[in-house]
Amino acid sequence: MNRDGLDLTAALRLLSQAGCPNPMQSGEDETRQLQMLIDTLCDLSSHDGLTGLVNATFFRSILARELDRVARTGRPCALLSLDLDHFKAINDTHGHPVGDLVLRHVARSLQGLMRSMDTAARTGGEEFAVILPECTPSEAIRAAQRLHQAISPITLSIDRVAITVTASAGLAWTDGRSVPDAAQFVAETDHELYRAKRLGRRRLCHPLLPLSHVLPEERASLLAPLPEDKYGI
Amino acid sequence: MESERRARRVAIVSGKGGVGKTMVAANLAAALAKTGHSVLVVDSDLGLANLDVMLGVQPSYTLHDVLHGACALKDALVRVPVCTRGVASTEEASPVDGFDILPGGSGIRDATTLTASAREDLKTLLHELGSRYEFLLCDAGAGIGEVVLFFAQIADDIVVVVTPEPTSLTDAYATIKVLARECGRTDVHVIVNLVAGATPEKAGGAVVSHLRQVASRFLLSDGTTLVRIHLLGVIPSDPAVPRAIARQQLLESAAPTAPATQAIALLADHLFDVATTPLPQS
């Protein structure tokens, strides 16, 4: 217990149990060491241990803050939601360590393509979200397409076994004039994500896509061989 | 112990409007009634119902009134007599028995969504009606909205009405896809309406085999959905149909020997065959 009443020993023991290196071994003065401890704890409470991305709780507060900014400045913002398709099957077939590798690979791919102002989060087991500030709808669609294509499909070779993973994605945005609250914004994005799932997965859906249940390739196939004599039109 | 009698519930859907869904429902009911079956047509388009208009009846109450407790169920049912006419036009039209309709509401704005309690009320109502008839034909609205999906979900058989036009074909396919993906309905019966040409049977068959090919190519691609598309029948393009509709008459009364009337009689036989196959245990 130090003079401010903080039980440093207990905090360090918790960190050690969580597998974290001791931030207080560098011979710095006590204030500096405390700051390092606080930084480590903040990082642990706001980030996902497996992927290093922002965790769901911190994501919600960043999103709320971002939407406050949108309301204040009238600048646009987009939100992308990504969900790995049939991820449970990967865990069931290849084991959780392989599933974890896939999740880390996805996180790295997203981080590699993001701008510095974007925030990527792991919002659930195999769910990810990316906040894209200052994006007009067309910019958001292009960014979302790039991010989605980076992780869908991905093929990892693990013990000479090729594992292919795809993702479904939903995108929504606000133009800065009407600003949804965070829950609403997430629901709008999820709505598009479910649409992508319904349409057969491994695709990105957004509000500008026609509300059709028929994919372009299905439409082409339905309408291509329609000779007049065949159908008696 | 005698098992409880229950009507075969048939949902008639199309995706696209204006393909003849209501015409098919009304005339199919007449054809079934003519061969001795008891039939109720439920106008399941809760927003823009028009079965009553097509049949020239003026209902006092609608399905909406029943659901809202504004009238008793029996007060909303309307009897539609089926008249048969001999070949000689001078012969007196003789009414055989008819069928009943339960009119829907027209212009009701909140009819595109169903609350949980409305679903339960409808289920109870259809269960009650099911004990009185052999067939419940549900003439669902256009589109693939919540109400259409509800009637498709509770139906024993799904009949999709399609015409050989590209727009109808695309919408029918979308309907089949959504019914398979969202309601797990992987057996659908297709009626191809408004088929022109000298060999409508052949042309109608080609439409269905085309739908089958596209469905097997795309709906099987995610490894989850095998859709079986059965051809229930083909109705030729026939000038007697628009004439009968304009007069608000059944084909059986207006043009008993017309090709479309005969085709629908054949359809009714096929539907009866489908209905006599046992339902899955679920």
Side-chain angles (χ1 to χ4, degrees):
Chain A
M1 188 88 60
N2 76 350
R3 64 172 179 271
D4 298 321
L6 286 170
D7 188 348
L8 291 178
T9 319
L12 289 171
R13 195 170 51 240
L14 281 173
L15 277 179
S16 159
Q17 280 166 359
C20 298
N22 185 346
M24 303 183 69
Q25 289 174 341
S26 52
E28 301 276 354
D29 65 49
E30 193 183 319
T31 312
R32 174 79 185 127
Q33 286 199 21
L34 269 177
Q35 187 55 53
M36 288 163 79
L37 176 62
I38 289 166
D39 288 350
T40 305
L41 291 174
C42 282
D43 195 51
L44 278 176
S45 63
S46 59
H47 286 73
D48 169 49
L50 179 69
T51 60
L53 298 183
V54 163
N55 67 18
T57 312
F58 196 40
F59 162 76
R60 279 193 294 274
S61 67
I62 295 178
L63 183 62
R65 204 177 59 206
E66 194 54 44
L67 290 171
D68 281 346
R69 189 193 61 81
V70 170
R72 209 170 54 243
T73 61
R75 305 288 304 157
C77 179
L79 177 62
L80 173 68
S81 203
L82 299 143
D83 189 295
L84 303 186
D85 299 325
H86 305 301
F87 185 69
K88 186 175 177 299
I90 293 172
N91 276 336
D92 291 349
T93 313
H94 305 284
H96 285 271
V98 171
D100 289 352
L101 277 178
V102 170
L103 293 171
R104 276 202 287 267
H105 186 92
V106 168
R108 272 200 308 275
S109 304
L110 295 177
Q111 282 170 317
L113 278 174
M114 279 163 27
R115 303 167 301 173
S116 59
M117 66 172 80
D118 299 337
T119 305
R122 183 178 174 210
T123 50
E126 68 266 29
E127 293 160 34
F128 299 85
V130 185
I131 303 171
L132 301 160
E134 300 284 341
C135 274
T136 62
S138 61
E139 289 165 348
I141 290 169
R142 277 200 300 277
Q145 281 168 340
R146 269 202 312 276
L147 290 163
H148 178 246
Q149 280 161 11
I151 64 162
S152 186
I154 47 174
T155 303
L156 300 180
S157 176
I158 293 163
D159 294 339
R160 293 190 187 156
V161 178
I163 298 168
T164 300
V165 184
T166 62
S168 304
L171 176 73
W173 53 73
T174 160
D175 58 7
R177 286 192 288 270
S178 65
V179 187
D181 65 30
Q184 230 177 333
F185 205 21
V186 169
E188 284 170 23
T189 315
D190 281 347
H191 176 79
E192 294 297 333
L193 173 64
Y194 297 141
R195 186 149 78 103
K197 294 264 179 201
R198 273 206 310 274
L199 283 171
R201 298 189 171 86
R202 67 179 306 172
R203 66 194 68 240
L204 164 73
C205 279
H206 56 75
L208 288 183
L209 279 184
L211 285 173
S212 169
H213 296 279
V214 180
L215 303 173
E217 56 266 35
E218 286 175 309
R219 184 184 302 267
S221 187
L222 272 170
L223 303 185
L226 204 69
E228 289 189 5
D229 56 343
K230 192 172 169 191
Y231 294 109
I233 297 168
Chain B
M1 195 177 77
E2 195 184 337
S3 64
E4 190 191 2
R5 195 181 119 175
R6 184 166 87 75
R8 189 83 173 194
R9 295 171 181 172
V10 181
I12 303 176
V13 302
S14 68
K16 185 180 179 300
V19 296
K21 203 166 44 265
T22 302
M23 183 283 289
V24 167
N27 288 291
L28 199 53
L32 284 165
K34 202 185 156 196
T35 47
H37 301 292
S38 59
V39 187
L40 170 71
V41 189
V42 181
D43 197 342
S44 316
D45 189 341
L46 302 184
L48 289 168
N50 54 15
L51 179 67
D52 49 331
V53 179
M54 179 161 287
L55 292 169
V57 299
Q58 287 173 335
S60 310
Y61 299 104
T62 67
L63 177 56
H64 257 271
D65 296 317
V66 179
L67 288 175
H68 287 101
C71 71
L73 175 58
K74 65 175 173 45
D75 297 326
L77 298 175
V78 182
R79 189 71 172 164
V80 179
V82 178
C83 294
T84 52
R85 205 187 288 272
V87 177
S89 58
T90 50
E91 199 176 318
E92 188 81 355
S94 60
V96 298
D97 211 1
F99 60 92
D100 287 342
I101 69 165
L102 178 53
S106 195
I108 295 160
R109 288 183 60 197
D110 63 351
T112 49
T113 56
L114 279 177
T115 61
S117 69
R119 277 165 195 275
E120 285 312 307
D121 291 350
L122 260 176
K123 276 186 193 165
T124 310
L125 181 68
L126 292 170
H127 185 78
E128 193 183 334
L129 287 166
S131 61
R132 305 187 199 175
Y133 299 90
E134 284 170 78
F135 285 94
L136 287 190
L137 305 185
C138 300
D139 174 22
I144 344 176
E146 218 174 278
V147 179
V148 174
L149 290 184
F150 169 81
F151 281 101
Q153 261 160 349
I154 53 129
D156 300 311
D157 305 297
I158 291 171
V159 172
V160 181
V161 181
V162 61
T163 73
E165 285 177 13
T167 43
S168 166
L169 212 60
T170 313
D171 288 357
Y173 177 79
T175 306
I176 291 169
K177 182 175 174 179
V178 171
L179 290 176
R181 286 257 167 81
E182 293 185 18
C183 310
R185 302 308 304 255
T186 50
D187 271 275
V188 292
H189 300 272
V190 172
I191 293 175
V192 192
N193 188 26
L194 287 169
V195 184
T199 53
E201 285 291 338
K202 204 172 152 195
V207 169
V208 168
S209 73
H210 184 60
L211 272 174
R212 256 183 220 139
Q213 276 170 21
V214 179
S216 67
R217 184 170 154 205
F218 290 100
L219 300 187
L220 268 177
S221 63
D222 62 358
T224 54
T225 319
L226 170 65
V227 182
R228 285 177 293 267
I229 301 174
H230 314 278
L231 174 63
L232 192 67
V234 177
I235 305 171
S237 191
D238 184 342
V241 176
R243 273 204 300 270
I245 291 172
R247 291 189 209 153
Q248 296 180 293
Q249 281 182 339
L250 288 165
L251 278 171
E252 195 59 59
S253 321
T257 57
T261 316
Q262 291 171 352
I264 290 173
L266 201 61
L267 267 175
D269 288 346
H270 287 170
L271 184 63
F272 180 71
D273 291 341
V274 169
T276 46
T277 57
L279 289 170
Q281 287 303 305
S282 61

